[in-house]
Amino acid sequence: MSTLACHRTPSAARRDGLTVALAGNPNVGKSTIFNRLTGLEVLTTNYPGATVEVNAAVVRLDGRVLTLVDLPGIYCLTCSSGDQCAAREALLENPPDVVVAILDATNLARNLFLVLQLIDLGFRVVVALNLADAAEHAGIRIDAQHLQDLLGVPVIPTVATRGHGLREVLAEALRASGRPPVIRHRYGPRLEGEVARLAGQLDGQMPLPARGAALLVLEGAADAGILAGAEPASKSAWTERAAAAADRVAAAYGEPASMAVARERHALADRIAAKVMVSPGEFRGRAAWRVAVRPATGIPLLLVVLAAIFAGLFWGGGALAALVDGAWATYASPLIRVLLLTVFGEGVVVRTLLWGLDAGLNAVLSVGIPYVLTFYAVLGVLEDTGYLNAATVLLDRVMRGLGLSGRAAIPLVAGAGCNVPAIIGLRTLRTERERLIAGTLITLVPCSARTAVIFGAVAYYLGWSWALALYGIVTAVVLGAGWGLNRLIPGGTPDLLVEVFPFRIPAFRTVVRKTWVRVRDFIFVAVPIVLAGSVVLGALYETGLIRLATRPLAPIVEGWLGLPAVAGLTLVFAVLRKELALQLLVALAIVEFGRGAENLLSFMSKDQLFTYALVNTIYIPCIATIAVLSRTLGRQRAAVISLGTVALAVLLGGVTMRLLALR
Amino acid sequence: MPQPVGKAGLNGEGALRSLADLPVGTRAVIARIPLDDPGTAAELAALRILPGEPVEVVEVIPLHGPLLVQTAGGVYALGRRLAGRIAVHGKP
């Protein structure tokens, strides 16, 4: 019948080698540690909900194969938002051999809550006492050895941003994997009595040790899949016993069992923290966020930040673009031309290939990279200072008008980088309604690829005020869509509940690395698509088939939008990647009118360029976005959203063209 | 439906006030948190926003924006409606 397997580790689906999960509260440096250990591209950020899918990487250490799993930041293992569910599922349904619990040394007691819960559940735990430098700076001194003795698990001080202590953590994890898990702590006798009684009634099919399972059930997580292996009959009998035990705990403590367990765990965490704290210090850095969250200072600051992003893109991105363009025209282009002519000789083949290898690559380098690079560098700084986190508080009021909580501001801002991770990030939101509204709005947020088109076409040829006007229209569209959806979709807006982190000075290395990883992804994914797209369009052009291909589009593109039919074709191609639109247009202009700063203007009027960029920004997100949207919200909704944006873009484009013509 | 906490005494616990009614700088002790959504309740509990715990209101964003509270665990932003459903002990 019952087995009191107190020291049994959760049964794991066996894999090759060992699995080590990194767990911790948000913003404790988990992803930084993961990146350091793996050299892999999980983006580290200073806001909650950044690691939204459970990332894993395989590394070798001392001849052994380790699978490292980077879990989303969590405060506890009892579900609330989607990312906490993801962390709990990863831990309970696919239990790792060792959990590395990463703690913020500047906030020890609260961080110990999760560590105690992990130990309760029977995991082999190794503690990384991170931000050791920040703690030391604040005068906080913690006796790591004493903490290790009290918890019964290894404790290693670490400074993730500099890589200190990380190899020791892994080495300890390896050692720990060979030992049985240890539970040294106990809560109050009344609670432990009920836990032991309930644990004794469990049958041996549980994936968790009995004490851990009993505690988790008392915490209100009876649906956590911990009864997955049980027979239906014993399941229902046990559920009844669990309810009775919860009632007894509630009666004894005068509050629900879940609250009683949390209170006991906090009390124990407090006692442990008090014992190991040699000097409590005084942690500063709490005041800076006030400037960002108070409307009187926060709104001007937000405007300054937005203006800085815009200026950075306009001047920084613009200068980079001009530099790359010049270098390409002087050095690369003639070389490629000569090489191709030598190999293939004059003809349709060379002219088609030149579309891809000369004009296409040139467009990637001068349109895509300068603006994408600049945007991600700025975004990285904003994330790592903690500014974005503070901005969610300021923006909560505005977001509520769109049926969203301030929490949704983060995926929306991330959408300005790339819609795909932003939509995956919807998991951090609490309700389906909020995910649906935010998902729709994200597709309307100009990602860095669309920003490249706006800056490369509108700001570059028409001036910054036109780009600003375009952003104004898009902002109005996003706000209008959110306002409408909030009224259309039944249900309420969830409450905001987020931690406000102290501001930090971002580590230069982390920001550079993060920017590089994001830009590298962009290059590796974008270049083949742009090359292929350019060659196909080139082949259509050089063989004259382009007239046939553009014909079906003509009524809408020429008739309603007032754009050259060929431009419409580039918009269709841009479903692959949004910046492809301008890149193909540039390539087309180079072929038709030769290279030069004014080439696009000899091809299209200013009004046409503006309309073109507006339509490109609003219509259909790229194919990758549609795919992730249907995975997250369902195919039907993804289709409705995609088609809705096409209709909206065509409508707005035609109206804009007519309004511009009135001037 | 969310039920705002009345200002009158409840269950003989003495005068209770809503956290959302406290001005900036007020310290209080939490008397009750909403339990209707177990996930939110568990998260509040993990963040030490629990009955018996002290809180200080450190910032109130105007126009019905969020409320920022300092607890033993850190600084948290709570939506005004959620804060409205957290009861604190009134001044003695």
Side-chain angles (χ1 to χ4, degrees), chain A residues 75 79-80 84 107 110 256 259 262-263 266 270 289-290 293-295 393 396-397 430 493 495-500, chain B residues 33 35 39 41-43 45-48 50-51 58-59 61-64 66 68 73 75-79 81-82:
Chain A
Y75 297 101
C79 246
S80 181
Q84 309 207 5
N107 191 359
R110 205 223 33 221
M259 295 297 115
R263 188 183 302 283
H266 276 304
D270 272 357
W289 52 259
R290 285 173 191 257
V293 302
R294 281 180 183 156
V393 179
D396 184 62
R397 189 63 198 86
R430 280 158 208 265
T493 305
D495 291 300
L496 182 71
L497 175 56
V498 292
E499 183 173 5
V500 180
Chain B
I33 63 171
L35 298 168
E43 196 164 350
L47 298 176
R48 285 191 88 140
L50 264 174
V58 290
E59 199 70 62
I61 310 302
L63 298 174
H64 222 70
L68 278 76
V75 178
Y76 305 103
L78 309 175
R81 191 178 47 181
L82 178 60

Side-chain angles (χ1 to χ4, degrees), chain A residues 276-504:
Chain A
V276 301
M277 198 75 83
V278 181
S279 143
E282 191 187 346
F283 190 64
R284 289 179 193 282
R286 290 284 186 208
W289 52 259
R290 285 173 191 257
V291 179
V293 302
R294 281 180 183 156
T297 47
I299 292 170
L301 182 63
L302 182 67
L303 293 176
V304 167
V305 167
L306 290 176
I309 297 175
F310 193 85
L313 285 170
F314 186 71
W315 282 294
L320 263 176
L323 194 76
V324 171
D325 213 23
W328 187 272
T330 316
Y331 304 107
S333 181
L335 190 69
I336 291 168
R337 202 164 279 271
V338 167
L339 276 177
L340 285 179
L341 281 173
T342 315
V343 178
F344 297 100
E346 178 62 43
V348 174
V349 176
V350 164
R351 288 206 302 276
T352 303
L353 285 176
L354 278 175
W355 271 77
L357 295 174
D358 183 14
L361 279 181
N362 182 8
V364 174
L365 292 173
S366 63
V367 174
I369 293 167
Y371 297 108
V372 174
L373 181 86
T374 311
F375 180 83
Y376 276 131
V378 178
L379 184 69
V381 171
L382 289 180
E383 286 171 342
D384 284 14
T385 50
Y387 175 75
L388 277 189
N389 171 248
T392 63
V393 179
L394 177 71
L395 291 172
D396 184 62
R397 189 63 198 86
V398 179
M399 303 300 283
R400 297 194 76 77
L402 312 179
L404 303 169
S405 75
R407 205 180 261 262
I410 285 172
L412 279 176
V413 171
C418 176
N419 283 187
V420 172
I423 287 166
I424 296 169
L426 292 175
R427 280 166 62 152
T428 60
L429 303 180
R430 280 158 208 265
T431 64
E432 188 60 29
R433 179 180 191 267
E434 198 181 11
R435 283 191 282 273
L436 177 59
I437 296 178
T440 309
L441 298 191
I442 285 171
T443 63
L444 293 170
V445 171
C447 61
S448 55
R450 285 176 266 182
T451 295
V453 175
I454 296 171
F455 276 85
V458 177
Y460 198 72
Y461 291 105
L462 281 69
W464 62 267
S465 56
W466 285 89
L468 207 56
L470 202 151
Y471 277 108
I473 295 175
V474 175
T475 307
V477 167
V478 170
L479 292 177
W483 184 85
L485 288 173
N486 189 26
R487 263 144 201 82
L488 222 64
I489 304 171
T493 305
D495 291 300
L496 182 71
L497 175 56
V498 292
E499 183 173 5
V500 180
F501 301 112
F503 279 13
R504 285 182 193 149

Side-chain angles (χ1 to χ4, degrees), chain A residues 325 355 358-364 366-368 452-453 456-457 460-461 534 537 570 579-597 599-601 603-604 609 612:
Chain A
D325 213 23
W355 271 77
D358 183 14
L361 279 181
N362 182 8
V364 174
S366 63
V367 174
V453 175
Y460 198 72
Y461 291 105
S534 314
L537 192 65
T570 65
E579 82 283 8
L580 191 60
L582 181 61
Q583 287 161 349
L584 292 178
L585 203 63
V586 169
L588 203 66
I590 289 173
V591 173
E592 289 244 325
F593 299 96
R595 210 173 291 277
N599 60 34
L600 263 190
L601 284 180
F603 183 63
M604 277 160 79
L609 270 182
Y612 178 81

Side-chain angles (χ1 to χ4, degrees), chain A residues 509-530:
Chain A
R509 210 189 126 121
T510 313
V511 174
V512 168
R513 188 189 172 86
K514 185 154 61 173
T515 307
W516 161 237
V517 166
R518 284 166 160 170
V519 173
R520 190 183 60 183
D521 277 1
F522 170 82
I523 296 171
F524 285 167
V525 176
V527 167
I529 294 176
V530 175

Side-chain angles (χ1 to χ4, degrees), chain A residues 116-132:
Chain A
L116 291 174
Q117 193 171 34
L118 288 168
I119 297 176
D120 281 335
L121 292 177
F123 291 106
R124 298 185 189 90
V125 174
V126 171
V127 170
L129 197 55
N130 197 35
L131 298 166

Side-chain angles (χ1 to χ4, degrees), chain A residues 620-645:
Chain A
I620 261 187
C622 69
I623 196 124
T625 305
I626 298 173
V628 74
L629 203 60
S630 52
R631 218 171 61 207
T632 313
L633 297 176
R635 250 181 239 170
Q636 224 169 359
R637 284 169 170 178
V640 170
I641 293 170
S642 302
L643 293 175
T645 58

